[in-house]
Amino acid sequence: MEYILEDGVVYSIERIGNNVIKAIAPHMMYDEESGEFVPAPPPEPVPKVPSEIDILGKQLAEKELQILQLQADTELFGKQIADKDIQIMSLQSENEVIGQQLVEKDLRLMQVETDNEKMGQSIVNLELKLVNMEGK
C-alpha cells in the first residue's frame, strides 16, 4: 500500500486491477524530517461531558458521604454527652456523700454545743452551791 499527502491530509492508495482506491488514512502521518509516512500517534481521547444523571449521581454520593460524616459526628457527640452525664452523676453522688458528712458534722457540733451548755449549766450550778456554802 502506498500513501500520498494532499493539503496536509494523508491518503492511502490501493490499486486493484485497473481501479485506484484513494481513502483517508488517519492512522498514518507524514514525517517532514525523514520524508516518510509513519504511524500516527493514537488520538487523544475527547473528554466525555458528564450527563445530568452523572452530575446528580456525583452530588448524591457527596451528600451521602456528608450524611455518613454527620452520623459519625452525632454518634461521637452522643458518646461525649453520655460520658459527661456519667461524670455529672458521679459528682452528684460525691456531693451527696459530702452533704451527708456535713450533716453528720453539724449534728456532732450541735451535740458538742449541747454538751457544753450542759457543762456550763453544771458549772453555774456548782458555783451557786459554792456561793451558798460560803454564805452559810
Side-chain angles (χ1 to χ4, degrees):
M1 185 170 301
E2 69 183 89
Y3 298 97
I4 61 169
L5 182 65
E6 289 182 2
D7 299 323
V9 178
V10 176
Y11 293 91
S12 63
I13 303 294
E14 190 171 345
R15 298 180 198 282
I16 302 175
N18 290 336
N19 297 323
V20 175
I21 300 173
K22 177 179 168 185
I24 296 176
H27 62 286
M28 297 299 285
M29 63 181 256
Y30 182 73
D31 182 9
E32 291 185 11
E33 279 185 27
S34 67
E36 296 180 1
F37 292 96
V38 294
E44 291 187 25
V46 177
K48 178 184 169 191
V49 177
S51 69
E52 189 173 339
I53 291 176
D54 291 338
I55 293 169
L56 292 174
K58 183 179 179 189
Q59 290 173 346
L60 177 64
E62 289 171 356
K63 292 296 180 191
E64 287 175 349
L65 286 174
Q66 287 175 349
I67 289 169
L68 290 174
Q69 183 61 49
L70 290 172
Q71 287 173 338
D73 291 347
T74 301
E75 186 176 325
L76 176 63
F77 293 145
K79 184 179 181 327
Q80 290 173 344
I81 289 170
D83 290 345
K84 294 299 178 191
D85 284 345
I86 290 169
Q87 288 177 344
I88 289 169
M89 288 189 291
S90 176
L91 290 172
Q92 287 172 335
S93 177
E94 288 176 25
N95 284 344
E96 287 177 15
V97 169
I98 290 170
Q100 182 62 36
Q101 291 172 345
L102 184 60
V103 167
E104 290 171 2
K105 288 188 191 257
D106 282 346
L107 288 174
R108 280 192 224 134
L109 180 61
M110 288 184 341
Q111 182 63 45
V112 167
E113 288 172 347
T114 303
D115 290 347
N116 284 346
E117 287 176 11
K118 286 179 183 177
M119 287 178 160
Q121 187 62 46
S122 294
I123 291 172
V124 168
N125 290 341
L126 286 174
E127 287 178 348
L128 282 174
K129 282 183 185 180
L130 184 60
V131 167
N132 283 338
M133 287 170 65
E134 288 176 350
K136 289 186 178 178

